[in-house]
């Protein structure tokens, strides 16, 4: 894929929520503060043991740094030898005459720095979302290395969504069987044959002025996706808005703890003023379209601050300003589909909107179906799991 290296593409049309990949971790570290370093130790131990030579070579050359050359053809030759039938035809065309014997030859000494680099750029945290609170539980996050999943390239506009699960297999990798050992990848959007499958490597709402340097430092590339190009036009203002929203949300937390209605209303007004300034730049993008930017440039800009709109919705809800809260939640669910479709964030915002609607008693069924749809696109389970995992909120909706 040109300067993007190896990647994955659709070979046929796929629908949103369709299952694309289930893979068991090659190495897995359990949740604790030093999970990343622990994973490196696990990989070193496995590589020094009697590891399959093909798997060993794939891990050591995940960044295309083969001793015989750094071309993607060499990496393709290694992945082809993993004998994954669906990939074999594609990898055969990328072989470029690689010397497989040389590639599989084990280095005389195993460099921790080399393993560390492979882990840093290819490992993934096993994010754990607590469905009761709709919050990310960092204490439950492990860290793992999945070989095939490492082939997904990055975009700040994902079209696939990744979750984790348990294989239930005896002897599954991991110390105590606590962290989920499966990575499950689904289509976030409907896609056509030939489209590249893209995963967002970073927190989706980080300002571009912070997001781009992080991608460069950790993964070694400059992102030039549609979102980055749109946001970079006003990156300084974007950073300013993010800082001001952060500050306003801190005031919201304080006012909520104090149960101070006057302070809460003041926070709502402050958040509305910041969101209005974000909207001013969106209006400029709409009034002055550029051929080099996507048609939805204004919504991509707005979507980068959807977390601030969520904060506005929560603050308005707590302050008793229901109409403003519902308008903000409605805005959230529209914008999240622009910048992070089918992610847990979309499901979270839809559930928060549903919860707010239960106090109003209107449009509950529509919101409920939309939340269920988002849940199934993210986790692609049947309705029973949706009901089981969200029982309390659904009981509130049923009463309403």
């Amino acid at each position: 894929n040109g300067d993007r290296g190896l990647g994955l593409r659709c070979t046929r049309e796929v629908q949103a929520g369709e299952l694309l990949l289930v893979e068991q971790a090659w190495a897995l570290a359990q949740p604790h503060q030093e999970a990343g370093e622990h994973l490196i130790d696990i990989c070193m131990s496995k590589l020094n043991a009697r590891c399959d030579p093909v798997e060993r070579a794939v891990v050591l050359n995940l960044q295309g740094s083969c001793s015989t050359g750094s071309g993607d053809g060499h990496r393709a030759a290694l992945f082809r030898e993993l004998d994954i039938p669906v990939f074999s035809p594609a990898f055969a065309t990328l072989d470029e005459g690689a010397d497989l014997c040389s590639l599989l030859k084990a280095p005389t000494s195993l460099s921790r720095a080399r393993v560390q680099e492979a882990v840093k750029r290819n490992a993934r945290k096993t994010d754990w979302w607590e469905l009761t609170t709709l919050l990310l539980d960092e204490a439950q996050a492990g860290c793992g290395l999945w070989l095939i999943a490492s082939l997904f390239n990055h975009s700040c506009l994902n079209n696939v969504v990744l979750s984790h699960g348990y294989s239930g297999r005896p002897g599954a990798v991991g110390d105590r069987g606590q962290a989920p050992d499966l990575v499950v990848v689904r289509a976030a959007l409907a896609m056509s044959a030939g489209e590249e499958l893209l995963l967002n490597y970073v927190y989706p709402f980080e300002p571009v002025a912070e997001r781009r340097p992080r991608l460069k430092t950790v993964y070694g590339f400059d992102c030039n996706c549609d979102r980055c190009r749109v946001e970079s036009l006003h990156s300084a203002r974007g950073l300013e808005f993010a800082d001001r929203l952060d500050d306003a949300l801190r005031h919201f937390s304080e006012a909520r703890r104090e149960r101070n209605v006057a302070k809460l209303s003041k926070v709502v007004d402050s958040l509305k003023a910041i969101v209005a300034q974000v909207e001013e730049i969106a209006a400029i993008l709409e009034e002055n379209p550029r051929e080099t930017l996507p048609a939805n440039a204004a919504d991509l800009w707005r979507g980068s601050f959807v977390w601030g709109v969520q904060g506005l919705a929560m603050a308005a809800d707590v302050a008793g300003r229901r109409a403003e809260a519902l308008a903000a939640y409605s805005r959230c669910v529209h914008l999240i589909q622009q910048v992070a479709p089918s992610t847990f964030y979309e499901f979270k915002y839809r559930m928060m909107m549903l919860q707010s609607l239960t106090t109003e008693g209107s449009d509950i069924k529509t919101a409920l179906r939309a939340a269920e749809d988002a849940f199934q696109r993210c986790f692609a389970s049947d309705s029973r799991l949706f009901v089981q995992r969200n029982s309390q909120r659904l009981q509130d909706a049923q009463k309403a």
Side-chain angles (χ1 to χ4, degrees), residues 65-70 74 99 102-103:
S65 55
C66 300
S67 58
T68 55
S70 59
H74 296 91
D99 184 354
S102 298
L103 294 175

Side-chain angles (χ1 to χ4, degrees), residues 156-157 208 211 225-235 278-306 331 334-335 337-339:
C156 302
L157 279 172
V208 69
R211 191 171 72 238
C225 70
D226 285 348
R227 270 191 71 189
C228 284
R229 289 189 296 109
V230 169
E231 291 179 50
S232 62
L233 295 174
H234 304 279
S235 60
V278 170
E279 185 59 33
E280 288 174 5
I281 292 180
I284 292 172
L285 290 168
E286 285 178 331
E287 292 165 8
N288 301 281
R290 301 188 185 186
E291 291 184 2
T292 56
L293 296 179
N296 65 336
D299 270 350
L300 293 182
W301 166 260
R302 295 181 182 108
S304 298
F305 305 97
V306 64
R331 195 71 173 144
H334 168 73
L335 293 177
Q337 293 176 84
Q338 307 298 311
V339 294

Side-chain angles (χ1 to χ4, degrees), residues 3-225:
D3 60 354
R4 292 172 63 83
L6 290 180
L8 300 175
R9 293 183 179 275
C10 296
T11 56
R12 60 169 176 79
E13 289 186 0
V14 297
Q15 300 303 312
E18 189 168 341
L19 180 65
L20 301 176
L21 172 70
V22 177
E23 182 183 8
Q24 191 169 15
W26 186 82
L28 185 69
Q30 298 304 323
H32 59 71
Q33 289 183 338
E34 301 297 329
E37 286 298 314
H38 191 201
L39 181 61
I40 296 170
D41 293 336
I42 292 170
C43 289
M44 289 287 293
S45 176
K46 190 167 182 177
L47 291 167
N48 277 317
R50 296 180 64 181
C51 175
D52 178 87
V54 174
E55 290 184 4
R56 191 174 198 271
V58 167
V59 173
L60 290 176
N61 296 294
L62 280 175
Q63 297 310 118
S65 55
C66 300
S67 58
T68 55
S70 59
D72 294 321
H74 296 91
R75 295 177 63 213
L78 291 172
F79 272 100
R80 186 190 63 193
E81 291 301 310
L82 288 176
D83 195 26
I84 303 168
V86 70
F87 290 158
S88 296
F91 284 135
T93 64
L94 292 170
D95 192 338
E96 296 180 0
D99 184 354
L100 192 61
C101 292
S102 298
L103 294 175
L104 295 178
K105 186 177 180 181
T108 54
S109 61
L110 188 60
S111 164
R112 184 179 179 87
R114 187 171 181 177
V115 176
Q116 184 176 25
E117 190 70 7
V119 168
K120 183 179 83 169
R121 297 192 177 188
N122 294 279
R124 304 196 184 283
K125 291 174 67 176
T126 57
D127 290 340
W128 184 266
W129 287 94
E130 176 51 61
L131 288 172
T132 304
T133 62
L134 298 178
L135 295 175
L136 191 62
D137 187 353
E138 293 288 349
Q140 296 294 322
C143 190
L145 184 64
W146 289 266
L147 302 185
I148 301 305
S150 73
L151 290 172
F152 287 100
N153 280 328
H154 165 82
S155 173
C156 302
L157 279 172
N158 67 293
N159 59 16
V160 300
V161 62
L162 184 149
S163 61
H164 296 92
Y166 295 90
S167 67
R169 297 177 184 175
V173 292
D175 290 338
R176 297 177 297 278
Q178 295 174 347
D181 59 318
L182 293 181
V183 70
V184 182
V185 182
R186 301 188 181 277
L189 304 166
M191 287 178 279
S192 303
E195 286 191 55
E196 186 175 9
L197 304 171
L198 300 166
L199 184 69
N200 193 341
Y201 291 177
V202 295
Y203 176 61
F205 310 126
E206 199 170 24
V208 69
E210 296 174 352
R211 191 171 72 238
R212 267 181 163 173
R214 186 183 305 279
L215 287 166
K216 182 69 171 179
T217 300
V218 178
Y219 299 102
F221 61 81
D222 296 304
C223 186
N224 196 39
C225 70

